[in-house]
């Protein structure tokens, strides 16, 4: 029988029209049906959560992202707000700090290299699929000085040498953020051992540890070597680097902020042979994970086609991206799938070890 949310039951024969309410069924069958409903709900819940068991390795983070404009409204805001100022900032080369009419600021990233643009955008949407909320909101735009939106800054656009037919990436500028140094517990993660485990987790540190875990897992999946992996790689020349601030990482109000993710997926996957050793060390140092991130990983692995889900998400959210930038290649799709599987396998190993 199919159990319908309204409390009706009918047979699998779709031609049969008769239905019965629970009030017309004997107490014995009511109890049986309620038991079936409970089992179905449990089954659906387990399926939705990637069949995760109960385990101390799963943490639940709670710190909200410190930005006033919600993630889903940032693209709408960018599309409908006039730019009044462009100035130096937000990194190298042709990047700029822009100000909108109401004073809101954004980092404008511009690259002639389409792979770096792809990397920033696709990495952002991988984070969304993983329910990782540590990346500033991202939107795309074109700096067309013939439109009202960009007319007031036409000279600055020309000085930046932005081409009107090229996409800009605009990420919400997070003011008053601070540089971040690795916590003591992570400064020895290059020894190849598990150093973040349920045994080190307390109610006081579980939220921040889940964020560090998310960062390591996220960078592993997208192959980003320009954050913690950068520190591990450069330790051979600078023994104190693990005590220094982490590249492309900031913090505000107890929330880690992962920015400048352009090396993800495309450029990062091309040079995995050079950096994969450090990614593996980072991942193996973990045996605690954000519950929502782990659930998302298991569901993506179960789907068997994470790259299609990723492309569909981008197509629905910002379709212009796929009009101007290439889609995922079959090689990139296979690597993404494999790295998701690797993380899922590692999580299973941690569950077995600590259960």
């Amino acid at each position: 029988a199919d159990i319908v949310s309204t409390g009706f039951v009918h047979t699998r024969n779709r031609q049969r029209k008769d239905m019965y309410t629970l009030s017309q069924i004997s107490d014995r069958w009511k109890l049986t049906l309620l038991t079936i409903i409970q089992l179905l709900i449990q089954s659906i819940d387990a399926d939705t959560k990637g069949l995760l068991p109960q385990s101390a390795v799963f943490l639940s983070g709670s710190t909200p992202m410190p930005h006033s404009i919600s993630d889903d409204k940032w693209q709408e805001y960018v599309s409908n707000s006039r730019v009044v100022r462009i100035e130096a900032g937000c990194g190298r080369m042709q990047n700029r700090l822009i100000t909108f009419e109401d004073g809101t600021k954004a980092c404008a990233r511009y690259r002639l290299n389409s792979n770096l643009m792809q990397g920033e955008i696709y990495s952002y949407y991988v984070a969304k699929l993983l329910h990782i909320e540590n990346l500033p909101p991202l939107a795309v735009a074109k700096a067309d000085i013939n439109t009202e939106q960009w007319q007031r800054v036409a000279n600055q656009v020309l000085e930046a040498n932005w081409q009107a037919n090229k996409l800009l990436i605009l990420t919400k500028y997070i003011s008053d953020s601070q540089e971040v140094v690795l916590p003591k517990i992570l400064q020895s993660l290059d020894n190849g051992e598990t150093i973040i485990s349920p045994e080190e987790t307390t109610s006081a540190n579980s939220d921040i540890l889940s964020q560090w875990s998310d960062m390591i897992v996220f960078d592993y999946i997208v192959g980003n070597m320009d954050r913690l992996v950068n520190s591990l790689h450069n330790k051979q020349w600078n023994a104190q680097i693990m005590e220094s601030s982490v590249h492309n990482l900031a913090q505000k109000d107890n929330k880690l902020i992962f920015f400048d993710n352009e090396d993800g997926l495309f450029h990062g996957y091309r040079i995995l042979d050079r950096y994969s050793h450090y990614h593996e060390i980072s991942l193996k140092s973990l045996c605690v994970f954000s519950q929502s991130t782990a659930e998302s990983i298991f569901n993506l692995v179960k789907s068997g086609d994470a790259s299609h889900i990723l492309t569909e998400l981008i197509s629905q959210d910002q379709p212009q991206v796929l009009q101007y930038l290439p889609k995922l290649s079959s090689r990139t799709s296979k690597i993404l799938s494999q790295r998701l599987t690797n993380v899922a396998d590692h999580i299973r190993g941690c569950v077995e070890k600590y259960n």
Side-chain angles (χ1 to χ4, degrees), residues 13 31 35 46 50 91 113 116 136 139 142 146 156 170-171 190 203-204 215 226 244 259 277 288 299 325:
N13 181 358
L31 181 61
T35 301
N113 184 333
L116 297 178
K142 291 191 294 181
N146 295 315
Q156 293 99 312
L170 301 179
T171 55
D190 59 335
S203 59
M215 186 199 73
D226 205 14
S244 305
F259 62 91
H277 170 65
V288 294
N299 282 329
L325 294 173

Side-chain angles (χ1 to χ4, degrees), residues 65-68 105 107 136-137 171-177 251-252 257:
M65 187 65 177
H67 51 72
S68 59
K105 296 181 183 295
C107 280
T171 55
K172 178 78 163 58
Y173 179 74
I174 309 297
S175 62
D176 301 321
S177 61
Q251 186 173 24
K252 181 174 181 177
I257 304 168

Side-chain angles (χ1 to χ4, degrees), residues 82 90 104 114 122 136 140 149 165 188 190 227 234-235 246 262 282 294 307 323 349 352 355:
R82 286 187 290 187
C90 298
T104 300
S114 63
Y122 278 78
V140 296
Q149 184 180 24
N165 63 339
S188 60
D190 59 335
R227 206 167 356 251
N234 288 319
K235 189 178 179 181
V246 181
E262 65 184 16
S282 300
S307 61
Q323 296 172 11
E352 292 175 5
N355 275 13

Side-chain angles (χ1 to χ4, degrees), residues 131-294:
H131 293 90
I132 292 175
E133 299 179 346
N134 298 75
L135 284 70
L138 176 149
V140 296
K142 291 191 294 181
D144 186 351
I145 59 176
N146 295 315
T147 62
E148 184 179 355
Q149 184 180 24
W150 294 91
Q151 277 181 343
R152 294 176 63 175
V153 291
N155 289 337
Q156 293 99 312
V157 169
L158 295 173
E159 288 172 5
N161 200 26
W162 291 344
Q163 298 177 24
N165 63 339
K166 294 280 187 179
L167 288 181
L168 281 175
I169 296 173
L170 301 179
T171 55
K172 178 78 163 58
Y173 179 74
I174 309 297
S175 62
D176 301 321
S177 61
Q178 307 295 321
E179 292 184 342
V180 184
V181 176
L182 279 173
K184 288 288 184 182
I185 193 174
L186 278 170
Q187 290 181 10
S188 60
L189 64 76
D190 59 335
N191 63 13
E193 300 177 359
T194 299
I195 60 174
I196 307 182
S197 70
E199 297 164 350
E200 280 75 41
T201 305
T202 67
S203 59
N205 68 14
S206 63
D207 181 66
I208 192 65
L209 286 182
S210 72
Q211 293 183 61
W212 282 102
S213 173
D214 274 350
M215 186 199 73
I216 291 172
V217 167
F218 171 63
D219 283 350
Y220 179 94
I221 290 171
V222 301
N224 187 352
M225 75 295 183
D226 205 14
R227 206 167 356 251
L228 183 56
V229 167
N230 178 72
S231 299
L232 289 169
H233 176 66
N234 288 319
K235 189 178 179 181
Q236 57 190 309
W237 300 291
N238 179 2
Q240 307 302 316
I241 197 168
M242 301 300 283
E243 301 172 18
S244 305
S245 58
V246 181
H247 199 224
N248 293 331
L249 184 69
Q251 186 173 24
K252 181 174 181 177
D253 300 334
N254 297 317
K255 188 75 170 183
L256 296 179
I257 304 168
F258 314 159
F259 62 91
D260 196 357
N261 301 290
E262 65 184 16
D263 287 327
L265 287 108
F266 302 90
H267 179 61
Y269 281 2
R270 279 204 305 273
I271 57 176
L272 269 182
D273 289 346
R274 189 187 309 172
Y275 294 97
S276 61
H277 170 65
Y278 303 107
H279 283 295
E280 297 298 333
I281 287 176
S282 300
L283 183 62
K284 289 177 181 177
S285 73
L286 292 178
C287 259
V288 294
F289 309 92
S290 165
Q291 175 91 25
S292 59
T293 303

Side-chain angles (χ1 to χ4, degrees), residues 92-108:
R92 56 190 181 273
M93 295 184 284
Q94 292 171 278
N95 289 357
R96 296 290 188 273
L97 177 65
I98 73 170
T99 304
F100 293 101
E101 199 166 28
D102 66 354
T104 300
K105 296 181 183 295
C107 280

